[in-house]
Amino acid sequence: MMKRTILLLLMVVSGALMLGCKDFDCCGPGVISTNPSALTIGGFIGASQDLVVNCPMAWTITDLPDWLIAEPDRGDFGGPVSLKATQENPPGADPRSAVITFMAANGDRVRMTITQSAQEVYTVTYSLTGVTRSNPAAAALQGEAYSTVFTAGTGYQLPASITVTMGGVLLTEGVEYDYDNATGEFEISNVTGNLVITIVGVETITVTAVIMTVTLYGSLDTPATVTSTSDISQAELDALITLHANRVITGWYTTDNPNGTKAVFPVTATTTLYVRLNGDGIFNTAPVEIVNAAELEALGTRVNATSGTEPAGLYYKLIADIDLGGAEWTPIGDNTIERPFRGHFDGDGFKVSGLYINRTTDDTGLFGWIQNSSIQNLGVEIAAGGVTGNNFTGGVAGYMRNSTISNCYVTGNVSGRDYVGGVAGFIGTNLSMSSSISNSYATGNISGNWYVGGVAGGVGMGTSGSGTAA
């Protein structure tokens, strides 16, 4: 009975000791360690190094200096820790060190020496062509940003991209640095090595103008201008001219004379050239085509210009009916400034309607004064306001000399002082030249003082005509 009691007491004491192992320091020394056992970090703010804490229980870090933080500084078990500098160690300063303690919950501890080196200074090397920079510094501090602004020099513009290496490694724009070729701004946020920046400016073009002037305007747009610094091809010039579908360019000339010297391509910049078209009016098979009121008015402007810009003997043809809309019309050809219409006008069966004129000067009509000319196959429909002039007033032409009008008609009222006719006010010439009106008629009221007729108001020597008036 005594032996059993002693055995039972031994078992109870042994069990109590086993249970108490969880509450007492029974794990032994060396329960906590770090990998690595020592570290060196950079001398700039934010410089960091990572380590691993090995511990099966809770732990903390103590003895941190004021220039260092640990993230995290404690934990329930082992794991990664990042040590970061909160202060810089300036360039040229001696390295500084601190010993920090990693302590386990059971009191076991391990110490680590942390050294912060001096902040490094990296070189910045530029290779610039046609470009300057705002930041003259040739050095950059480790871990800090570096920026500058590039400016294009005279005769250059900033390129779309640049080349940047850091520590001998090519960097990627938009990832490791930013560059804006519109403003020239450049920045790298974290310098970790020597920088080499290469930027080659793009040479700008010195623009000089080549002006092309068209002798015959007809349906052309405003004469175009092309700029270039090199010789210009004929294709470049041809592309600038807006034409009707049936027109083509037949040649470029160095003068505005249709029979002048042809240009030799390519031509150099600042050369003035003139274009000739199939449809430039030089031949009756290629007349200047008139498609709207603006083009008909432009013809009158050129004929009436004091500089006489419209060559004589050109051919014109309507390719559509034209409505002048009852707006005041300025006749094509004006005797008062001795600028008659000297061309050949074919209505091609189309009509000009909405003609309205109200003035007190001579030579009044769709055409004011024509000489050495022909007008054919044209209808003229006068607006409700009528055509009113002084002497030499008619629906088609006010005054004609050594010219012909054929296959034309006029509707509406025509009034004036002397020499007033439905088709023409006066047709005249001298013994060596003749004029005629044929197969033409007028309907409407024709009124005046002297020499008033349904087709023509007056005729001169050497004149013939046939027609009807109603």
Side-chain angles (χ1 to χ4, degrees):
M1 185 69 178
M2 179 68 71
K3 291 180 181 179
R4 291 179 180 176
T5 301
I6 293 172
L7 178 60
L8 179 59
L9 288 173
L10 291 172
M11 291 175 65
V12 171
V13 172
S14 175
L17 291 173
M18 291 177 65
L19 291 170
C21 183
K22 294 182 179 180
D23 301 320
F24 298 101
D25 185 6
C26 60
C27 298
V31 71
I32 187 169
S33 63
T34 62
N35 182 25
S37 58
L39 283 176
T40 298
I41 64 175
F44 57 94
I45 297 174
S48 66
Q49 288 283 11
D50 295 332
L51 59 92
V52 175
V53 176
N54 300 306
C55 185
M57 61 183 67
W59 55 272
T60 60
I61 301 175
T62 62
D63 304 323
L64 285 166
D66 59 359
W67 50 268
L68 190 69
I69 60 173
E71 296 177 343
D73 62 359
R74 66 193 63 222
D76 294 329
F77 297 97
V81 174
S82 178
L83 298 177
K84 295 183 179 180
T86 59
Q87 299 176 13
E88 66 179 27
N89 194 23
D94 293 332
R96 58 184 173 182
S97 300
V99 178
I100 63 176
T101 301
F102 294 80
M103 180 175 290
N106 67 352
D108 188 17
R109 68 193 65 191
V110 63
R111 290 182 172 83
M112 172 183 283
T113 300
I114 305 298
T115 301
Q116 185 183 30
S117 60
Q119 188 176 21
E120 292 191 49
V121 179
Y122 295 114
T123 61
V124 181
T125 303
Y126 286 97
S127 176
L128 305 178
T129 302
V131 176
T132 59
R133 68 182 191 274
S134 64
N135 188 347
L141 294 177
Q142 177 190 25
E144 296 188 6
Y146 181 85
S147 63
T148 189
V149 177
F150 297 112
T151 303
T154 302
Y156 289 87
Q157 60 186 12
L158 294 176
S161 61
I162 64 177
T163 301
V164 181
T165 62
M166 185 164 64
V169 178
L170 182 66
L171 302 185
T172 302
E173 181 183 345
V175 178
E176 294 152 308
Y177 71 92
D178 293 312
Y179 165 69
D180 187 339
N181 72 321
T183 63
E185 296 176 349
F186 166 84
E187 182 177 36
I188 182 168
S189 60
N190 183 21
V191 178
T192 60
N194 294 329
L195 291 172
V196 178
I197 303 173
T198 303
I199 177 168
V200 179
V202 178
E203 191 171 1
T204 56
I205 295 175
T206 301
V207 177
T208 54
V210 175
I211 303 174
M212 293 165 298
T213 303
V214 184
T215 57
L216 304 175
Y217 298 82
S219 57
L220 295 176
D221 286 345
T222 301
T225 300
V226 63
T227 57
S228 177
T229 56
S230 60
D231 291 349
I232 302 170
S233 68
Q234 184 172 355
E236 289 180 88
L237 299 182
D238 289 352
L240 294 173
I241 302 300
T242 302
L243 310 173
H244 282 314
N246 62 337
R247 287 199 184 189
V248 295
I249 294 173
T250 60
W252 289 90
Y253 295 82
T254 57
T255 67
D256 60 0
N257 185 342
N259 298 315
T261 304
K262 277 196 171 184
V264 177
F265 286 91
V267 296
T268 58
T270 71
T271 300
T272 300
L273 297 177
Y274 303 87
V275 65
R276 175 176 167 182
L277 309 173
N278 173 18
D280 57 10
I282 296 175
F283 304 103
N284 60 359
T285 55
V288 175
E289 296 173 344
I290 298 176
V291 69
N292 55 41
E295 292 182 359
L296 187 61
E297 184 177 8
L299 170 61
T301 299
R302 296 193 304 275
V303 171
N304 297 343
T306 56
S307 58
T309 58
E310 193 71 357
L314 299 182
Y315 291 84
Y316 306 86
K317 183 173 72 173
L318 291 188
I319 60 172
D321 290 331
I322 293 177
D323 184 2
L324 300 180
E328 179 73 33
W329 176 253
T330 299
I332 302 171
D334 192 339
N335 189 27
T336 61
I337 57 173
E338 297 186 356
R339 294 297 176 194
F341 174 70
R342 301 174 186 269
H344 306 282
F345 194 94
D346 185 359
D348 200 32
F350 293 104
K351 65 183 179 181
V352 175
S353 60
L355 176 65
Y356 169 72
I357 305 172
N358 184 13
R359 66 179 195 167
T360 58
T361 55
D362 296 345
D363 306 319
T364 299
L366 179 65
F367 293 83
W369 174 29
I370 64 174
Q371 182 170 316
N372 302 326
S373 299
S374 64
I375 299 174
Q376 61 184 10
N377 307 319
L378 176 65
V380 176
E381 297 181 359
I382 298 172
V387 168
T388 302
N390 192 42
N391 298 320
F392 312 115
T393 300
V396 175
Y399 186 98
M400 54 186 296
R401 186 167 183 264
N402 198 42
S403 300
T404 62
I405 296 176
S406 61
N407 301 319
C408 295
Y409 74 86
V410 176
T411 63
N413 301 329
V414 179
S415 62
R417 182 183 175 185
D418 300 333
Y419 300 103
V420 181
V423 176
F426 182 83
I427 52 178
T429 181
N430 55 35
L431 293 176
S432 60
M433 295 182 292
S434 63
S435 297
S436 67
I437 298 178
S438 61
N439 299 321
S440 300
Y441 69 90
T443 62
N445 295 322
I446 315 300
S447 60
N449 294 333
W450 297 93
Y451 307 107
V452 178
V455 174
V459 296
M461 295 177 60
T463 300
S464 65
S466 65
T468 60

